[in-house]
Amino acid sequence: MRYFITFSYDGTRYHGWQIQPNGDSVQERLEWALSTLLRREVNVTGAGRTDAGVHARVMVAHFDFEEAIDCQQLCYKLNRLLPFDIAVQEVKQVSDDMHARFSATSRTYHYYIHIKKDPFRRAYSCEIHYPLDFALMNEAGKILTTYEDFGAFCKSHTDVKTTICHVTEARWVQTSETAWYFRITANRFLRNMVRAVVGTLIDVGRGKLSIEEFRKVIEGKRRTEAGESMPGNALFLEDVRY
C-alpha cells in the first residue's frame, strides 16, 4: 500500500531535502521517524528536492508499507517525534500508481525580498539595498512563460537529463511598502533554477539588463550569462499540485 505525507519544514538547519553523506537532511529525519514508529526500514520519495537552507510550506512524499496504517494516529505520532522545524499536516493512503514526484502536475515557489532593514524578516527574506523597477521585472517575468528551455538557469555540472520546463506563472507580488515576493509555477524546476531566475530578474530591475538582453540570456542557455544565484534562506516551496 502507498501513503502520501504532506508536511512543511524550516530548512535553516538542513543541507536540503535529499539525504547527504556529510550533513543532516529533512529526508533523513523523516525516514528515521517513520522507521522508528513503524518498526521497520522505511524509505520516502519526495515531490522534489530543495537545496541547503531552503524551506517548504508544502512538501509531499510517499512511502510503501505492506500493512494498513491508522493515518491520523501516525500523523500525530510523527509530529511528537520529529524536530520542531518539521511538521506533518496529513498522512493518507493513495492508489499504488500515485508518485510524489512524477504524479505532480505543478510546483510553486516564492522568493521573498525586502528593501528596508527588518530584524523580523532577515531569516526568511533577502534584504536588497538598491532601487528596483518591479514593473520591468514583471514584464521580464511574463517572458519566462513563452520559453521552454531554461538551461541558462540550471546549476552547472548536474546530472539533469533535460532543461525543458513549462512555466505557467512568473510575477512579483508586493505585500507591503518594503516587501515583495516572486511567485513562479511550473511543471518542474531545475536545480538552483528559481534563485538564478530571481538573480537575473533583479539585474533587469537594477537596469543592468534590458528586456531584450534578458531574452538573449534565456536563448543563450548558458548559466554564465545569467545573474547570480540568490541566497537560499528566502526561498520557499509553497505548493505542490496533483
Side-chain angles (χ1 to χ4, degrees), residues 5-239:
I5 305 178
T6 303
F7 57 103
S8 57
Y9 58 84
D10 180 331
T12 303
R13 298 194 306 146
Y14 301 101
H15 287 71
W17 155 255
Q18 196 170 31
I19 290 177
Q20 304 291 327
N22 299 308
D24 200 4
S25 70
V26 179
Q27 182 182 16
E28 181 180 9
R29 290 299 186 105
L30 185 59
E31 288 187 350
W32 168 80
L34 283 168
S35 299
T36 299
L37 293 171
L38 298 176
R39 299 182 179 179
R40 66 199 68 178
E41 184 177 351
V42 176
N43 301 116
V44 301
T45 299
R49 61 184 184 188
T50 54
D51 292 334
V54 176
H55 320 288
R57 293 194 204 277
V58 175
M59 174 61 110
V60 180
H62 79 251
F63 70 95
D64 295 322
F65 198 71
E66 61 271 20
E67 300 173 12
I69 293 174
D70 183 332
C71 293
Q72 187 173 356
Q73 187 68 9
L74 179 60
C75 182
Y76 170 78
K77 289 181 178 179
L78 281 169
N79 281 322
R80 292 290 300 268
L81 190 58
L82 285 164
F84 67 91
D85 45 13
I86 303 174
V88 176
Q89 282 79 49
E90 182 184 42
V91 179
K92 67 178 181 179
Q93 186 179 350
V94 296
S95 60
D96 290 345
D97 61 348
M98 286 291 289
H99 193 285
R101 179 182 175 190
F102 298 124
S103 298
T105 57
S106 72
R107 298 157 174 85
T108 298
Y109 281 89
H110 286 184
Y111 193 91
Y112 293 83
I113 68 170
H114 57 287
I115 60 171
K116 184 178 180 181
K117 187 176 181 181
D118 187 334
F120 303 108
R121 294 187 190 275
R122 63 178 178 80
Y124 304 106
S125 177
C126 181
E127 189 173 327
I128 302 294
H129 298 282
Y130 31 77
L132 294 171
D133 186 335
F134 284 94
L136 199 60
M137 290 159 68
N138 268 330
E139 185 179 342
K142 290 179 182 178
I143 291 171
L144 292 169
T145 64
T146 67
Y147 287 88
E148 292 187 334
D149 194 328
F150 293 95
F153 307 114
C154 181
K155 187 173 183 177
S156 302
H157 310 299
T158 59
D159 57 356
V160 65
K161 293 180 175 62
T162 176
T163 52
I164 301 299
C165 306
H166 301 292
V167 176
T168 55
E169 180 184 25
R171 61 190 175 93
W172 288 91
V173 178
Q174 187 170 8
T175 58
S176 74
E177 289 185 3
T178 59
W180 288 259
Y181 65 84
F182 177 63
R183 177 180 174 89
I184 183 167
T185 301
N187 65 322
R188 65 188 290 266
F189 287 90
L190 308 172
R191 189 173 181 187
N192 206 232
M193 176 175 164
V194 179
R195 290 191 284 156
V197 166
V198 172
T200 311
L201 288 174
I202 283 178
D203 282 347
V204 172
R206 296 180 68 183
K208 296 175 68 174
L209 276 181
S210 67
I211 291 295
E212 187 56 37
E213 288 170 332
F214 181 72
R215 284 187 180 274
K216 289 180 179 178
V217 167
I218 301 173
E219 292 168 1
K221 304 174 187 178
R222 298 180 61 182
R223 179 66 187 91
T224 53
E225 301 300 318
E228 68 175 309
S229 179
M230 301 296 286
N233 69 293
L235 181 60
F236 286 75
L237 174 59
E238 289 283 332
D239 197 15

